[in-house]
Amino acid sequence: GRIDLDLNINSRNFDRQVNNIGPRTKKKFEALSIATGNVLANLATQAVSSIGTFVKDSIDKGSELSELQNVVDSVYTSMSDSVNSFAENALNAYGLTEAQAKRMMGTYGAMSKSFGYAENQAFSMSKQLTALTADVSSFYNLNHDEAYTKMKSVFTGETESLKELGVVMTQTALDQYALQNGYGRTTAQMSEQEKVALRYRFVMNQLSTASGDFLRTSDSWANQTRLLKLNLESIMATFGQGLINFFTPVIKLINTLLSKVATLANAFKAFSEMIMGTSSGGGGSGAGQASLALGDLEEGYGDVADSAKNAANATEKANKANNK
């Protein structure tokens, strides 16, 4: 009642497949590692490039803001603090960055003063025109530069650019407005300052519908996306000014170093001319001049070494500050 079966398994194919798992897995893992490394390298390169672009743009915006501050200080010698206060709050009130507000205030103020207006009058006109420029930009969905160009017509007297805003500022229209609003005379009888005042009142009146539009529509998609962009620009400008504070001393020292290198190069040139006999002068005199050139050369090397040391120290301080 029993059957015994003696079975023998042929495992050659199985063994071969198992043995091949290791090499095949290794090759796939190596290929995957290389691909992953390339992706990470590309991401790192892009990240470094983006950071470099961000730093450069930040420094450019910070430098621009500093230059605009110089304009404001020059135009508003006694009211620059008022301009600064207005510009710092312009983002939430009018949708303008500090730099944009200062650029407009500076230009409008300079143009106002060129027509003989006192500083307080120039400040008042510039403030109203800057606010209206921002509202016109919001109302007509223009970028700020376009609106800014059009609003300068108050001072230049140009009429074509304002027509796109529905303002027809012809001489006939101005004369009629002047007679209707108590001026008692037409533009032909006015001084240039009076013409500016007339155009200012005329434009403010014609664009009264747009006045305050940014605050009224600040929750709209267009204005919110505009605020997002302007907030980023403001942050970049502030960050850039911080970077400028760190790097300016280093740049100064590098420039000093380069000036010393230029002195060293001139001394070497003079010394080589003496040695090669390409300059005029006898043997004794030439030797004396060569000696002086050697002295200048030695002094130049010393100056370069000192300047390089100072530059290294300043760079180290900047690095420590940046790390903090």
Side-chain angles (χ1 to χ4, degrees), residues 95 134 137-139 141 213-230:
S137 175
S138 172
F139 189 79
N141 198 27
D213 184 76
F214 177 80
L215 281 179
R216 290 194 301 268
T217 61
S218 59
D219 292 335
S220 67
W221 171 261
N223 280 337
Q224 282 298 309
T225 53
R226 180 178 296 182
L227 274 176
L228 176 62
K229 178 176 179 292
L230 296 178

Side-chain angles (χ1 to χ4, degrees), residues 174-246:
L174 288 172
D175 289 341
Q176 184 178 358
Y177 181 83
L179 295 175
Q180 291 175 347
N181 288 272
Y183 282 82
R185 57 191 182 281
T186 60
T187 54
Q189 302 166 311
M190 294 180 180
S191 64
E192 290 302 315
Q193 185 186 84
E194 290 173 328
K195 290 178 183 178
V196 170
L198 176 63
R199 290 195 293 265
Y200 168 74
R201 287 189 58 185
F202 180 81
V203 170
M204 294 294 290
N205 178 265
Q206 294 293 306
L207 294 175
S208 58
T209 305
S211 181
D213 184 76
F214 177 80
L215 281 179
R216 290 194 301 268
T217 61
S218 59
D219 292 335
S220 67
W221 171 261
N223 280 337
Q224 282 298 309
T225 53
R226 180 178 296 182
L227 274 176
L228 176 62
K229 178 176 179 292
L230 296 178
N231 269 311
L232 291 174
E233 289 183 3
S234 296
I235 292 172
M236 290 175 68
T238 304
F239 180 67
Q241 286 186 317
L243 291 176
I244 289 172
N245 291 336
F246 281 125

Side-chain angles (χ1 to χ4, degrees), residues 250-266 300 303-311:
V250 178
I251 296 298
K252 286 182 179 179
L253 284 174
I254 291 174
N255 285 330
T256 302
L257 174 63
L258 292 178
S259 69
K260 299 300 182 182
V261 171
T263 302
L264 179 64
N266 288 330
D303 290 341
V304 169
D306 291 339
S307 297
K309 181 179 179 181
N310 291 334

